Amino acid sequence: MRPAARVNRIKPSPSTAAAQRVRELKAAGHTVLDLTVGEPDFDTPDHVKAAAVAAIERGETKYTPVNGTPELRAAIAARLARRHGLRYSSDQITVGGGGKQVIFLALMATVDSPDEVIIPSPYWVSYPDMVLANDGVPVIVDCPEADGFKLTPARLEAAISADTRWLILNTPSNPTGAAYTAEELRGLADVLLAHPQVWVLTDEIYDEISYGHGQLPTLVAVEPRLADRTLITNGVSKTYAMTGWRIGYGAGPAELIGAINTLQSQISSCPSSISQAAAVAALTGDQGFVRDCVAVYQGRRDKAVKLLGDIQGLSCLAPAGGFYLFVNCTSLLGRRTPAGQVLHTDEDVTRYLLDTQRVAVIHGAAYGAPGYFRISFATSGDVLDESCQRIARACADLS
Ligand code: PLP
């Protein structure tokens, strides 16, 4: 087998690799506290499952329109109108097999070599590889903790070139939990208005999971003049604990959506009809489940931020949204483990935590930010407590 060049350019997701290492340890009989997971630990709500069963019983088991059922596109349009006051017609919305697929297809539909895609770092692991797979050039822009891990107008301006095709914004962010305020988006919008060649992909997959900041704003609502070059992507995976159902969506200019649909027609024909029916129920049904989950996440977040904050050598900002903590471990670098090994990198730190304490986390370099590690709090409060205690022990054992 001779892999295509695009395969050689990319690597499997590090979170998948970490999950594999956890599975191996578990298979060898070890108990591992797994803080690598990128999905809610809750079950899909019953009314959503019931809607899927009803769809099967009604015989909705055939291909749907390439861009999703009219009912689901209407539910998505209604959500965008309700939440942000934005109007999208049904030809400005597409549904795919997860937000991931929609993002990939958007890049596939628009990026040619040597187009550049600006990716603020820390970033979701998939963005650079998706750009590379589609012959683009990822332009990574460092957004340090001192800036709240957020892109500033000055950094954006400096990163834009004549070849810039896209800026990818992820708010709230995986892995940092940073979320942009309307004022911050305003600042970025002012830069973008001066560069009409730059489109914006705003990935809002965690937008319902936010803490004490009210409803999070979206770029197009802040600056409507960017509507004809902005794609909003989202999905039901994180909000409704539906990662396995594989439904995500994009809302943007009809021409871009049409190009995505053309690709989708040759790639998957359409997303699962049954999952689409379930997604309609999720988006249009009672939202109590979402409120309950966010309250639980918030409790875990507050506790974990406190416990980690008490550990000498670690610190982390409280995330504004999502279910991850991005922990600064730079103070541990250069220190020595009881076995005599010096911790040179964040990857050494995560390996040390796994080997000695059986706590699995993901190293920051995977997200473009060496010196950090990511903890997911989409896990039980007990696991989180015990993990923090073990991490504290591991840090105390260093000399
Ligand atoms: N965007 C971000 C930032 C994510 O973290 C994820 C999943 O981990 C996705 C998009 C894709 O989610 P899905 O394909 O399940 O909709």
Side-chain angles (χ1 to χ4, degrees):
M1 136 97 178
R2 182 185 58 81
R6 78 177 62 84
V7 176
N8 288 331
R9 282 198 295 268
I10 65 175
K11 54 192 178 315
S13 148
S15 38
T16 315
Q20 177 58 24
R21 175 85 184 112
V22 170
R23 266 195 296 275
E24 283 164 12
L25 280 170
K26 283 182 177 165
H30 297 290
T31 307
V32 178
L33 301 180
D34 187 0
L35 305 184
T36 66
V37 279
E39 60 186 346
D41 54 319
F42 303 105
D43 195 11
T44 305
D46 285 342
H47 71 279
V48 173
K49 292 183 189 170
V53 172
I56 293 172
E57 285 172 353
R58 281 196 306 272
E60 290 177 20
T61 53
K62 306 286 171 33
Y63 294 130
T64 72
V66 169
N67 50 348
T69 61
E71 294 76 20
L72 181 49
R73 276 177 287 138
I76 293 163
R79 177 180 187 272
L80 287 164
R82 202 169 51 238
R83 197 175 169 83
H84 299 299
L86 298 174
R87 301 270 157 227
Y88 285 91
S89 56
S90 67
D91 64 343
Q92 293 179 310
I93 292 173
T94 192
V95 180
K100 195 174 214 170
Q101 191 192 43
V102 175
I103 297 167
F104 193 95
L105 292 181
L107 296 170
M108 196 182 209
T110 52
V111 173
D112 279 316
S113 174
D115 290 342
E116 296 176 356
V117 178
I118 296 175
I119 301 173
S121 162
Y123 48 73
W124 180 41
V125 292
S126 293
Y127 300 137
D129 284 312
M130 287 187 184
V131 172
L132 289 168
N134 288 299
D135 300 332
V137 180
V139 174
I140 307 298
V141 179
D142 225 17
C143 301
E145 187 174 350
D147 290 344
F149 297 118
K150 289 188 258 193
L151 182 64
T152 59
R155 289 185 201 275
L156 173 60
E157 181 71 59
I160 292 175
S161 80
D163 287 328
T164 307
R165 196 72 214 272
W166 286 98
L167 160 68
I168 299 183
L169 276 186
N170 176 208
T171 177
S173 148
N174 172 7
T176 66
Y180 290 84
T181 64
E183 293 69 32
E184 289 162 343
L185 292 176
R186 176 74 262 156
L188 298 177
D190 288 340
V191 174
L192 291 161
L193 285 172
H195 299 280
Q197 82 279 19
V198 183
W199 285 50
V200 189
L201 191 157
T202 157
D203 176 356
E204 301 175 1
I205 195 94
Y206 296 97
D207 69 345
E208 292 277 358
I209 305 170
S210 78
Y211 311 112
H213 294 259
Q215 202 154 285
L216 295 174
T218 194
L219 184 68
V220 176
V222 170
E223 179 44 86
R225 283 176 291 173
L226 291 173
D228 61 2
R229 51 185 167 113
T230 298
L231 178 71
I232 297 175
T233 64
N234 206 324
V236 293
S237 289
K238 316 287 178 176
T239 307
Y240 301 100
M242 292 177 69
T243 44
W245 299 74
R246 308 309 303 128
I247 294 293
Y249 59 86
E255 219 182 332
L256 170 64
I257 297 295
I260 292 173
N261 294 342
T262 303
L263 289 170
Q264 171 132 290
S265 75
Q266 297 298 2
I267 288 175
S268 70
S269 295
C270 65
S272 150
S273 58
I274 299 154
S275 295
Q276 289 188 67
V280 171
L283 288 168
T284 59
D286 181 56
Q287 302 296 300
F289 171 82
V290 182
R291 283 192 294 276
D292 292 348
C293 291
V294 173
V296 173
Y297 290 139
Q298 179 149 13
R300 292 176 187 167
R301 175 198 81 144
D302 293 346
K303 192 152 184 208
V305 167
K306 159 116 193 42
L307 289 174
L308 289 165
D310 288 345
I311 300 175
Q312 208 158 21
L314 301 181
S315 65
C316 72
L317 298 180
F323 40 66
Y324 309 105
L325 295 173
F326 207 51
V327 183
N328 186 327
C329 62
T330 44
S331 301
L332 302 186
L333 303 184
R335 295 184 57 193
R336 194 174 290 275
T337 70
Q341 190 220 347
V342 175
L343 301 176
H344 293 293
T345 65
D346 47 304
E347 201 165 0
D348 291 342
V349 172
T350 58
R351 203 171 306 114
Y352 169 60
L353 294 178
L354 188 59
D355 291 346
T356 64
Q357 302 294 333
R358 301 282 182 242
V359 175
V361 298
I362 301 180
H363 61 290
Y367 306 92
Y372 292 82
F373 59 82
R374 190 194 77 169
I375 283 182
S376 162
F377 51 93
T379 188
S380 80
D382 288 348
V383 167
L384 209 54
D385 283 356
E386 173 65 22
S387 301
C388 290
Q389 283 172 31
R390 291 193 193 186
I391 293 171
R393 218 175 297 146
C395 292
D397 284 347
L398 294 173
S399 48

